[in-house]
Amino acid sequence: MKAILAAVVLFVAVLVSSYVRVDAQLEVGYYNDKCYLAEYIVKDEVHKAFDRNPGLAAGLVRMHFHDCFVRGCDGSVLIDSTPSNTAEKDSTINNPSLRGFEVIDSAKARIEAVCKGVVSCADILAFAARDSVEVSGGYGYDVPAGRKDGRVSLASDTIANLPPPTDTLGQLISSFTSKGLTQDDLITLYGAHTIGRSHCTSFTSRLYNFSTTAAQDPTLDASYASVLKQQCPNPKFFNDTNLVVPMDPTTPTVFDVNYYSNVLNNKGLFTSDQTLLSSTVTGNLIRQNVANPSLWESKFAAAIIKMGQIQVLTGSAGEIRANCRVINKS
């Protein structure tokens, strides 16, 4: 067993090192000689948050994804709206579903107290996503760092860049390809839906008045649909936008392959979850993940590192925000 675990760790390390050698100019251990406590502080804040509310781990992983897919991994999702601008976090896609901003705030405040103006908010979010995976039971991995923070955050950018839960497989592949990610990356990263929750509003269209020929989505397991209807009443008669359900009802706070098992059993919560079975290639990747959880966890580590290098700002291209919610004054 020790030999197998050692081999898995080595496999992840090789993948990490291969992704570091890209044009993004990021580096593992970037803060070792600049602010050596940075990653420790982030990890500590994530662990404290997880102890208070295990669901925040999923929120931070999702926040990293939503940051990277809009203007690249530049921390723009963290910026607050102003009277003259509605920021990404307040778009209908992100609000009220994104959560965990206070974890980033706490980590940033502690880091600024010991290393003022050194560690970017974008890097803090990337570290927090890694620590969230690990505290939930997934593999830890080294995060290449050196990102700078962006100065622009527009709610309007989210619509064109973040795939909605109603996407088909073709639409998902197109979205991920536009970010430099492969079909395999898509299936791998979607496994993050194994933790966290969803608002009922994201999938009730599958439960009620689905089409002119079907009351509910026929690709959704009937027994699971019945359970969901008890948790999410028909919005036509009871419209509570705050209702939420776990993405994986079995182990909602554990980073495991249950998500893929759910999809294989027609219990994917979103249309975009269930559509992953609509091709032989993607279906086989899902079955592979169920059969080999360790391989999936290793692939996930590599894929999220790759995602974390989408259109990053480095050097003089961005800034180090003093407050992750506010762009620095010129």
Side-chain angles (χ1 to χ4, degrees):
M1 179 60 72
K2 289 183 178 179
I4 294 174
L5 289 175
V8 169
V9 170
L10 178 61
F11 173 64
V12 176
V14 170
L15 288 171
V16 169
S17 64
S18 68
Y19 283 124
V20 172
R21 295 192 298 270
V22 296
D23 294 339
Q25 301 174 5
L26 303 184
E27 179 185 353
V28 171
Y30 179 81
Y31 294 108
N32 286 353
D33 60 351
K34 300 175 179 67
C35 184
Y36 73 94
L37 287 176
E39 293 194 50
Y40 166 78
I41 290 172
V42 176
K43 187 182 294 288
D44 185 54
E45 289 298 326
V46 169
H47 278 252
K48 289 193 295 187
F50 185 82
D51 288 341
R52 294 192 304 268
N53 180 358
L56 286 176
L60 291 166
V61 173
R62 184 166 181 258
M63 192 188 298
H64 183 41
F65 170 80
H66 281 222
D67 183 41
C68 291
F69 264 55
V70 180
R71 292 184 171 271
C73 310
D74 66 347
S76 55
V77 73
L78 303 169
I79 297 173
D80 281 348
S81 295
T82 66
S84 61
N85 177 65
T86 303
E88 293 171 31
K89 64 165 57 171
D90 288 319
S91 73
T92 55
I93 293 179
N94 287 332
N95 188 1
S97 59
L98 280 192
R99 54 184 176 150
F101 293 104
E102 70 281 4
V103 182
I104 304 302
D105 291 339
S106 296
K108 178 63 171 175
R110 286 179 60 186
I111 290 172
E112 284 293 299
V114 294
C115 306
K116 187 176 178 62
V118 175
V119 182
S120 71
C121 300
D123 277 343
I124 291 173
L125 180 52
F127 294 146
R130 180 268 313 278
D131 299 332
S132 295
V133 170
E134 188 174 16
V135 76
S136 300
Y139 287 166
Y141 52 90
D142 290 330
V143 175
R147 299 167 186 79
K148 293 296 177 65
D149 297 321
R151 301 182 179 94
V152 177
S153 182
L154 303 172
S156 56
D157 284 341
T158 63
I159 305 300
N161 288 284
L162 294 173
T166 54
D167 264 2
T168 64
L169 179 59
Q171 290 169 323
L172 289 174
I173 292 173
S174 177
S175 176
F176 275 65
T177 299
S178 72
K179 306 300 179 183
L181 299 171
T182 66
Q183 185 171 264
D184 196 352
D185 293 329
L186 160 63
I187 300 301
T188 300
L189 290 169
Y190 247 63
H193 283 183
T194 193
I195 55 175
R197 67 186 189 183
S198 167
H199 284 75
C200 292
T201 51
S202 295
F203 60 85
T204 47
S205 61
R206 302 185 72 197
L207 302 177
Y208 306 101
N209 304 313
F210 179 70
S211 70
T212 56
T213 58
Q216 66 189 37
D217 188 342
T219 66
L220 182 63
D221 177 80
S223 62
Y224 184 42
S226 296
V227 171
L228 291 174
K229 285 180 178 179
Q230 293 175 16
Q231 299 170 297
C232 302
N234 191 330
K236 182 178 179 181
F237 305 108
F238 185 80
N239 189 20
D240 185 348
T241 57
N242 294 316
L243 292 176
V244 295
V245 301
M247 297 287 291
D248 170 14
T250 309
T251 54
T253 62
V254 180
F255 204 77
D256 56 23
V257 296
N258 272 5
Y259 164 77
Y260 296 112
S261 297
N262 292 338
V263 171
L264 290 176
N265 290 315
N266 295 321
K267 294 181 180 180
L269 192 59
F270 298 152
T271 297
S272 58
D273 292 319
Q274 206 56 52
T275 194
L276 301 183
L277 272 185
S278 61
S279 91
T280 301
V281 173
T282 54
N284 286 339
L285 287 171
I286 289 173
R287 293 181 182 88
Q288 179 187 77
N289 291 337
V290 172
N292 194 336
S294 293
L295 176 61
W296 169 67
E297 292 202 35
S298 298
K299 288 171 61 179
F300 185 89
I304 197 170
I305 290 169
K306 182 179 179 181
M307 184 193 78
Q309 299 186 76
I310 295 173
Q311 295 176 281
V312 296
L313 303 176
T314 58
S316 60
E319 64 182 17
I320 304 293
R321 264 180 246 139
N323 178 340
C324 292
R325 294 174 178 267
V326 183
I327 299 166
N328 293 343
K329 293 182 180 180
S330 302

